[in-house]
Amino acid sequence: MSDEDTDDFEDEDYGDEDGGDEEPSPHEVSFDEDTEGVLVAGKRFSAGGMTRKQLGEFAKHVEAVAAKSGHAVTIVASGDLTDTGPAPDDTVYTEVHIGFEGGRGGTDGPETISRDVALHVLEKAKAVPAEVWAEIGEKLEGREREGWDEASVSMYFTCVGPLTAATLAFGVLGTEDGEGPGKYMRGVNMEQEAHEEGVWGQKVTYVQYESPESEEVDLGDAAHAERVRELGVEHARYFIIARYD
């Protein structure tokens, strides 16, 4: 289930060409390798003055605060922050989310998202004490710290991994040569092959590595009821569709 697809941040290890002792990556932290869309309930800030290494150090800080506090928040940074992306001392320009994942995927086909799960993790994020959020922000400086202090807890949709774009769709599964409500949407996998199956319905929001990297989304009862009314399909569901561009 999508709500279980939460990623821990672990050291990346790289062996030498002879298969000898492995050495830690200078990036320190393993960010998302696959092109995916992610729903995150929590707080968000823009990182425009941090290096890739500093962001990795901040991720370790978030991990430590989560372990100590018992509130198992994780970090989701938009875009490509793998070893094929920015070098350790390069400045990163990314939207950084701290909170609980409400779903992720869409790499090889539409990933079904449970609205109940998403709303549940949003309530979990709202229940995180102010002092925990404050402790997380202690390692930030300048514009990042200011953005963090002003951020409110909400639900965000973002995309991660190389050349990433993603759609949060509302509708029903189908194929391009079939029929369905609204318009047809499908993604592209990391081999740049179009998904065999897509979604007939409506786009809730769209994000991409070039901007917008992250969008706030409303999955509450009123917004959901309006989407059902517009689409005219009571059994419609939410899906993440990723696109490797």
Side-chain angles (χ1 to χ4, degrees), residues 9 31-32 40-52 54-60 62 74-79 81 92-99 133 136 140 144-145 147-148 151-152 154 156-160 213-215:
F9 291 86
F31 286 95
D32 297 286
V40 190
K43 297 182 70 173
R44 176 185 68 180
F45 70 94
S46 297
M50 302 173 73
T51 66
R52 172 64 177 77
Q54 287 172 332
L55 186 57
E57 292 169 349
F58 177 67
K60 287 292 188 183
V62 171
T74 57
I75 182 169
V76 178
S78 304
L81 295 173
V92 293
Y93 299 93
T94 180
E95 297 295 316
V96 182
H97 311 77
I98 312 294
W133 293 123
I136 288 173
L140 297 173
E144 283 78 13
R145 178 60 180 272
W148 176 259
S152 58
S154 188
Y156 301 97
F157 183 60
T158 189
C159 53
V160 300
E213 296 179 12
S214 174
E215 292 282 2

Side-chain angles (χ1 to χ4, degrees), residues 180-184 200-202 231:
K183 67 176 184 178
Y184 184 70
W200 284 95
Q202 62 179 234
L231 199 61

Side-chain angles (χ1 to χ4, degrees), residues 115 119 168 170 202-204 216-231 238:
R115 190 172 76 95
L119 293 178
L168 180 62
F170 179 66
Q202 62 179 234
K203 177 178 68 177
V204 177
E216 189 173 355
V217 294
D218 184 357
L219 299 181
D221 291 346
H224 175 70
E226 179 63 17
R227 292 185 189 112
V228 171
R229 186 192 66 78
E230 290 178 354
L231 199 61
Y238 291 89

Side-chain angles (χ1 to χ4, degrees), residues 52 67 128 143 184 190 194 199 205:
R52 172 64 177 77
V128 173
R143 288 177 297 176
Y184 184 70
M190 296 185 72
V199 175
T205 193

Side-chain angles (χ1 to χ4, degrees), residues 18-143:
D18 297 325
D21 294 338
E22 294 182 340
E23 296 182 358
S25 164
H27 284 179
E28 301 294 342
V29 171
S30 175
F31 286 95
D32 297 286
E33 298 283 344
D34 293 331
T35 294
E36 297 180 304
V38 189
L39 272 176
V40 190
K43 297 182 70 173
R44 176 185 68 180
F45 70 94
S46 297
M50 302 173 73
T51 66
R52 172 64 177 77
K53 185 175 181 179
Q54 287 172 332
L55 186 57
E57 292 169 349
F58 177 67
K60 287 292 188 183
H61 167 68
V62 171
E63 186 179 68
V65 173
K68 183 179 71 172
S69 69
H71 294 275
V73 294
T74 57
I75 182 169
V76 178
S78 304
D80 184 5
L81 295 173
T82 66
D83 281 347
T84 62
D89 294 325
D90 285 348
T91 300
V92 293
Y93 299 93
T94 180
E95 297 295 316
V96 182
H97 311 77
I98 312 294
F100 303 97
E101 291 190 11
R104 71 156 57 220
T107 306
D108 297 312
E111 182 74 23
T112 306
I113 298 303
S114 166
R115 190 172 76 95
D116 289 342
V117 168
L119 293 178
H120 172 69
V121 297
L122 180 58
E123 290 306 309
K124 282 181 63 177
K126 290 179 178 178
V128 173
E131 54 266 28
V132 174
W133 293 123
E135 186 174 1
I136 288 173
E138 287 177 358
K139 291 292 184 180
L140 297 173
E141 299 178 348
R143 288 177 297 176

